[in-house]
Amino acid sequence: MKRDKLIGILLMIVAFSAMLGLGLIAVFIFLEGLPIIGKVGVWDFVFSAQWYPAEGKFGILSMIVGSLFVTAGAILIGLVFGLGCAIVLTQFCPRKLVSVIKPSIELLAGIPSVVYGFMGVLILVPVIRDYLGGPGLSVLASSIVLGIMVLPTVTSISVDALQAVPRSFYEGSIAIGATRWQTTWMVMLKGARSGIVAAFILGMGRAVGETMAVIMVAGNTISMPGSILDPVRTLTSNIALEMSYSAGDHRKALFATGVVLFIIIMILNTIALWVSRKRVWKGPRR
Amino acid sequence: MGITDNTQIDLPSNQVRFAGESGAGQPKIRVEGYHGFFDGKPVLKNISLDIHSNERLAIIGPASSGKTTFLRSLNRMTDLNHEFTHSGRILLDGLDLWDRNMDVPELRRRVGIVYAVPTPLPWSIYDNMAYGPRLAGKFKPSEIERMVEEGLKNAFLWDEVKDRLRTPATNLSGGQQQRLCLARVLALEPEVLILDEPCSGLDPISTGKIEKALEILKARYSIVLVTNNTKQAARASDRTAFFCMGELIEIGQTAQVFTYPASRKTNDYITGHFG
Amino acid sequence: MRLSPATSQKIAVTGLWTLAAVTMGVLLFIIAYVLAHGLPYVTWEFLSQSPHRMGKEGGVFPIIVGTLMVAGLGVLIAAPVGVITAVYLTEYTREGKLTAVIRFGADCLAGIPSIIFGLFGFVFFAITLGLGLSIISGALTLALMMLPTIIRTTEEAVKAVPRAYREASFGLGSTRWQMVTKVVLRSALPGIVTGIVLSIGRSISETAAVMLTAGSALGLPQSIFDPARTLALHFYIMSREGISMSKAFATAAVLILAILLINLLAYWIMRRFVAKAR
């Protein structure tokens, strides 16, 4: 019994390593990044679009805007396709086909991001350049590539949410003469809404944080994008592109970019956790 | 689990086990003013009774009368329910179950439990049987083999499974699975056997075999049998206790309880007027 | 004009199936495209030789070794920690503040972008702990990234073990630790292994974090303290710097094949053992 207690305590210590990891990440990113934000000033760092490391000018506004644009487009595509797949999988798909489609979508999540980026450069970018204009490397290309990449996240969370809706809701609705689609639209999606919101937000987190694929298709110029056909640089690509040759304040400014990214992600994560904690809609209160 | 704990507990129990009738003076288990609560709500109220060596005690009573909770208290399986709390004492050979010197795994080897639903582990018959002895960690492989065989023989299962000990236990029929669960406990050579409606889902033949096993086993163990079947209680016990709404209404010789119950409630229950 | 329920159902279902079909089409296209352009260059020489002239010639042998070492070491670190965390959460404690804190940590860790892991691994493992750009720095970083997945999949597998098994084990006199190791983990093993295999797949395809922590050296690593280049990073460098398209495609084909195999393996374990255990 005493030994069992001891084991319990040891396990508890190990179990804290995830929390410890998160804490260490936060501490070290902030330690490296905050001083330079203090030196430049929060306002100038976040709301200036002047990024000239050689002259000591570190303003990341255009990258924040770039990340937002790209993410917004990506989540739009990811949500439409991801939720569509989730609905098909849970409501309209024969069991046999589910066992093909579901692993395929999981496989989509397993394909390396660099491969997506590469395919974007080879196929998507020329198409955009030739048919829509602009350099091709653009917000649009990034959004499409990222949209495909966040699709598996959106799908799997939405599938879970839809499956968690009690079967009786479905049967009740069918029983009073609704079609399957009406039931899906009015009952199932409503029942799963908090899960779908969580999928939306976590998908956004994925898109904001993705790096390698975006570097390859976004063009990476430091300027405010005027249209979806303009090239942009995102927060993540800024870090990855310049890390290898940066030093001193420049490197610190890249960590500061990481701080901003970290804060955005933590806000999104917290919202997603808070939303999904409410779980499924359990029907009208009695 | 220090060595000292084991020796402290093993000594008196071994004396009782091998001294045969000499334990008759002291009850095997003494329950004193035992209360049980789920989330603070009382489910067992002020239970006091003795369980002697080599007797079969049946516990009967209507649904939610606390029978199962009482039974699970006897080897602290109630610990698994975090909402459960208790007051009062249950003494096994004079030592309180909640005494800090009580070694709980050892307690559960000494007071073996069989559940209402067969709970074979998803392994072979042999591995199911050998699991308990292996856990105890103090037996040689040859001893374990003997314990497995003894256990199966005592539960009248040996002849049916001796040729397929390495096949999955889940392939057995429901009645065989339940006898395996009994055999698994018997392999550990416990001192007390507690059974929670062991025949509730079984056919009459399997039930008969289990009752026959209990009849023979009483020579070696104290047996506590919770049952919903009053006929089974009348058939397969020496004494009977009647529980109702968490209270012990009466306890006495089975023949007496069934012919001249002291309480009106008992009479109503065994004649089928309520419950 | 109002559509009849039957018509609107027809339109909606057609639309949804189109979305699903496009998704599947994209997946198949990517895999087919990469394999079609890459497989012809995947020869025994490509797999067994070292790269020359920055990868323009030769093969990817040291890179395969580097990939295996980084991902393998990462999973060796992450798997025990993740499994123990999950066991602690499900078997050793009740839901409460403590578990909420641990779950919050794991959930947040799961959402952190790989580039942040890269920055952290670089400043903490490589610089602060003095491990340098090395396989061990990369592996530790990847381990941290894999941790949430392993915790979650293990937790699910452990929760699927019937309560009756636990009762049976306790009833036969097991300690909690014996119950966990001999009954719960044994029954949950296929589910746990599936999760671990999938996270190996994830770490093989990881690029940004590895780039900042394991370096991009082309030599054959001699120890875990040497820098190394992984397949995904090699592919990135080859394609981005335009060193050699054929070699880039061949690398991508190897990578995709590895991922396919890993996913199939995980799927197979899932169907073979997990479905059967129910």
Side-chain angles (χ1 to χ4, degrees):
Chain A
M1 249 1 221
K2 277 173 209 146
R3 220 185 80 189
D4 234 23
K5 282 243 169 69
L6 190 70
I7 290 173
I9 292 168
L10 286 176
L11 296 191
M12 185 183 78
I13 294 169
V14 176
F16 266 101
S17 43
M19 198 61 214
L20 178 75
L22 183 71
L24 280 175
I25 291 175
V27 166
F28 274 85
I29 301 289
F30 278 75
L31 270 183
E32 291 291 305
L34 277 186
I36 191 80
I37 296 183
K39 199 165 148 190
V40 178
V42 178
W43 184 266
D44 281 349
F45 187 73
V46 177
F47 291 107
S48 149
Q50 308 267 314
W51 177 270
Y52 300 113
E55 300 164 27
K57 286 189 175 162
F58 303 107
I60 58 168
L61 182 64
S62 66
M63 299 160 207
I64 294 179
V65 172
S67 278
L68 286 181
F69 267 44
V70 169
T71 302
I75 196 63
L76 197 70
I77 294 165
L79 195 67
V80 169
F81 281 85
L83 192 54
C85 286
I87 295 174
V88 167
L89 278 174
T90 53
Q91 312 295 321
F92 296 104
C93 192
R95 272 188 161 272
K96 277 254 165 65
L97 214 54
V98 171
S99 63
V100 177
I101 298 182
K102 220 174 164 205
S104 304
I105 289 175
E106 278 157 23
L107 182 62
L108 211 50
I111 293 179
S113 56
V114 279
V115 172
Y116 283 108
F118 188 55
M119 296 298 289
V121 174
L122 281 185
I123 315 258
L124 201 57
V125 167
V127 168
I128 293 175
R129 188 174 52 222
D130 295 348
Y131 292 94
L132 299 173
L137 299 165
S138 58
V139 175
L140 181 62
S142 316
S143 290
I144 294 174
V145 168
L146 282 184
I148 297 168
M149 293 180 67
V150 302
L151 185 153
T153 309
V154 175
T155 305
S156 74
I157 301 173
S158 305
V159 164
D160 287 347
L162 283 166
Q163 279 173 346
V165 179
R167 175 100 192 138
S168 57
F169 287 18
Y170 177 85
E171 283 168 1
S173 170
I174 294 288
I176 56 172
T179 63
R180 289 178 79 176
W181 167 245
Q182 285 172 322
T183 304
T184 303
W185 185 245
M186 294 189 265
V187 178
M188 303 308 282
L189 285 181
K190 194 172 178 191
R193 69 183 163 192
S194 67
I196 293 168
V197 173
F200 174 76
I201 293 164
L202 287 175
M204 250 162 79
R206 269 288 130 76
V208 174
E210 179 46 46
T211 315
M212 303 316 276
V214 183
I215 292 185
M216 296 169 92
V217 294
N220 303 322
T221 53
I222 305 172
S223 62
M224 285 292 198
S227 87
I228 57 168
L229 298 176
D230 285 348
V232 282
R233 177 180 290 200
T234 62
L235 291 167
T236 50
S237 24
N238 190 42
I239 301 171
L241 283 167
E242 299 191 1
M243 201 56 198
S244 58
Y245 61 84
S246 64
D249 274 358
H250 184 192
R251 171 164 289 179
K252 294 235 170 351
L254 295 177
F255 273 91
T257 314
V259 168
V260 174
L261 189 59
F262 187 87
I263 292 172
I264 294 174
I265 293 289
M266 286 305 277
I267 292 172
L268 289 176
N269 272 349
T270 314
I271 297 174
L273 286 178
W274 180 70
V275 171
S276 59
R277 188 149 303 156
K278 290 182 175 171
R279 286 294 169 205
V280 288
W281 183 65
K282 293 260 166 53
R285 292 256 166 83
R286 258 166 272 171
Chain B
M1 262 193 303
I3 292 162
T4 44
D5 292 3
N6 280 337
T7 41
Q8 274 177 6
I9 292 156
D10 274 354
L11 276 178
S13 69
N14 285 346
Q15 280 165 11
V16 170
R17 196 189 293 180
F18 297 119
E21 285 78 5
S22 74
Q26 188 197 24
K28 188 69 195 167
I29 293 177
R30 163 158 280 176
V31 182
E32 289 178 352
Y34 186 73
H35 294 257
F37 310 91
F38 269 112
D39 276 332
K41 267 183 267 165
V43 289
L44 286 171
K45 298 166 200 160
N46 199 20
I47 311 288
S48 295
L49 58 83
D50 286 349
I51 299 165
H52 303 292
S53 295
N54 310 331
E55 76 159 345
R56 293 172 302 169
L57 173 69
I59 297 178
I60 58 172
S64 68
S65 54
K67 295 171 302 204
T68 296
T69 308
F70 176 72
L71 194 78
R72 288 169 65 92
S73 297
L74 296 180
N75 69 352
R76 287 184 57 177
M77 286 305 293
T78 42
D79 288 8
L80 302 199
N81 298 92
H82 296 297
E83 310 82 25
F84 184 82
T85 49
H86 80 282
S87 67
R89 300 201 299 170
I90 298 181
L91 307 171
L92 174 66
D93 287 332
L95 182 66
D96 187 11
L97 301 190
W98 286 272
D99 189 281
R100 30 196 305 279
N101 288 325
M102 180 55 74
D103 175 349
V104 179
E106 180 64 22
L107 165 69
R108 291 180 185 146
R109 280 191 276 275
R110 294 170 63 196
V111 182
I113 187 163
V114 177
Y115 302 103
V117 181
T119 54
L121 290 160
W123 313 328
S124 71
I125 295 171
Y126 187 88
D127 284 344
N128 263 280
M129 290 299 300
Y131 181 59
R134 281 174 186 157
L135 286 176
K138 55 186 178 192
F139 302 106
K140 288 189 224 113
S142 59
E143 272 181 285
I144 291 180
E145 209 151 308
R146 178 192 60 77
M147 292 163 93
V148 168
E149 187 174 335
E150 293 272 293
L152 286 168
K153 279 181 175 158
N154 286 332
F156 295 107
L157 191 59
W158 175 251
D159 290 332
E160 290 162 60
V161 300
K162 64 182 175 203
D163 300 324
R164 47 171 174 150
L165 290 175
R166 302 288 165 184
T167 60
T170 41
N171 289 356
L172 297 172
S173 74
Q176 287 172 326
Q177 285 187 11
Q178 189 63 310
R179 274 180 285 144
L180 175 68
C181 292
L182 176 63
R184 202 166 61 173
V185 171
L186 296 179
L188 285 167
E189 291 158 23
E191 297 154 37
V192 181
L193 193 57
I194 58 182
L195 306 101
D196 185 7
E197 298 177 35
C199 305
S200 56
L202 301 189
D203 58 284
I205 296 172
S206 295
T207 305
K209 282 186 176 164
I210 288 182
E211 284 178 13
K212 195 166 120 203
L214 298 185
E215 170 84 52
I216 296 168
L217 293 170
K218 124 189 175 177
R220 277 188 273 170
Y221 312 120
S222 307
I223 295 172
V224 184
L225 171 72
V226 163
T227 177
N228 268 334
N229 180 343
T230 45
K231 291 198 185 93
Q232 183 177 47
R235 265 198 315 265
S237 71
D238 306 312
R239 286 197 304 153
T240 297
F242 176 64
F243 277 54
C244 187
M245 309 286 285
E247 286 174 72
L248 173 62
I249 306 296
E250 74 171 285
I251 178 167
Q253 296 299 318
T254 297
Q256 190 175 354
V257 170
F258 277 89
T259 44
Y260 304 106
S263 157
R264 172 83 191 278
K265 280 183 189 167
T266 316
N267 187 49
D268 286 351
Y269 179 73
I270 56 182
T271 52
H273 285 262
F274 86 90
Chain C
M1 187 189 86
R2 272 187 72 87
L3 294 168
S4 77
T7 319
S8 64
Q9 161 143 321
K10 213 166 254 172
I11 294 169
V13 172
T14 314
L16 287 170
W17 273 109
T18 313
L19 293 177
V22 169
T23 307
M24 294 297 289
V26 167
L27 172 75
L28 288 179
F29 177 76
I30 292 175
I31 293 174
Y33 193 91
V34 170
L35 290 184
H37 286 78
L39 274 187
Y41 305 104
V42 181
T43 56
W44 175 244
E45 285 72 34
F46 181 73
L47 295 176
S48 63
Q49 286 181 358
S50 290
H52 306 293
R53 294 181 56 207
M54 301 305 289
K56 205 174 176 70
E57 288 162 16
V60 288
F61 179 67
I63 295 152
I64 292 176
V65 173
T67 309
L68 291 178
M69 284 178 81
V70 174
L73 195 58
V75 84
L76 275 184
I77 299 163
V81 176
V83 171
I84 287 175
T85 305
V87 163
Y88 177 75
L89 286 175
T90 48
E91 303 292 334
Y92 271 83
T93 186
R94 274 177 274 169
E95 294 297 318
K97 285 229 167 68
L98 204 66
T99 57
V101 167
I102 295 171
R103 285 220 168 80
F104 177 78
D107 286 341
C108 285
L109 215 51
I112 292 197
S114 58
I115 188 77
I116 300 268
F117 278 103
L119 282 179
F120 167 72
F122 173 74
V123 67
F124 184 67
F125 296 126
I127 293 178
T128 308
L129 295 187
L131 297 170
L133 292 180
S134 62
I135 289 174
I136 182 74
S137 296
L140 285 164
T141 310
L142 283 183
L144 216 47
M145 294 178 72
M146 283 186 239
L147 200 53
T149 316
I150 296 181
I151 293 175
R152 185 154 6 87
T153 48
T154 305
E155 243 194 296
E156 274 165 24
V158 164
K159 277 184 181 160
V161 176
R163 191 183 150 88
Y165 293 1
R166 296 178 173 85
E167 296 243 326
S169 181
F170 277 127
L172 291 168
S174 71
T175 61
R176 191 167 285 273
W177 180 241
Q178 286 173 321
M179 186 275 289
V180 166
T181 49
K182 290 172 198 237
V183 176
V184 171
L185 288 184
R186 199 165 143 184
S187 290
L189 194 62
I192 296 171
V193 171
T194 309
I196 291 175
V197 168
L198 281 176
S199 48
I200 294 177
R202 290 291 143 81
S203 58
I204 284 182
S205 33
E206 180 49 45
T207 315
V210 177
M211 182 173 81
L212 295 184
T213 53
S216 58
L218 272 172
L220 185 67
Q222 304 298 320
S223 85
I224 57 169
F225 298 103
D226 282 353
R229 184 186 284 197
T230 65
L231 279 169
L233 183 57
H234 184 61
F235 168 70
Y236 172 73
I237 294 172
M238 299 282 286
S239 59
R240 186 150 175 80
E241 297 179 359
I243 294 172
S244 160
M245 269 305 162
S246 56
K247 299 283 180 200
F249 266 119
T251 312
V254 173
L255 201 50
I256 291 265
L257 278 183
I259 302 289
L260 267 175
L261 278 180
I262 284 173
N263 271 269
L264 277 177
L265 178 67
Y267 192 57
W268 178 77
I269 297 172
M270 202 71 187
R271 302 217 72 175
R272 174 85 169 66
F273 297 101
V274 179
K276 217 173 106 188
R278 299 285 148 77

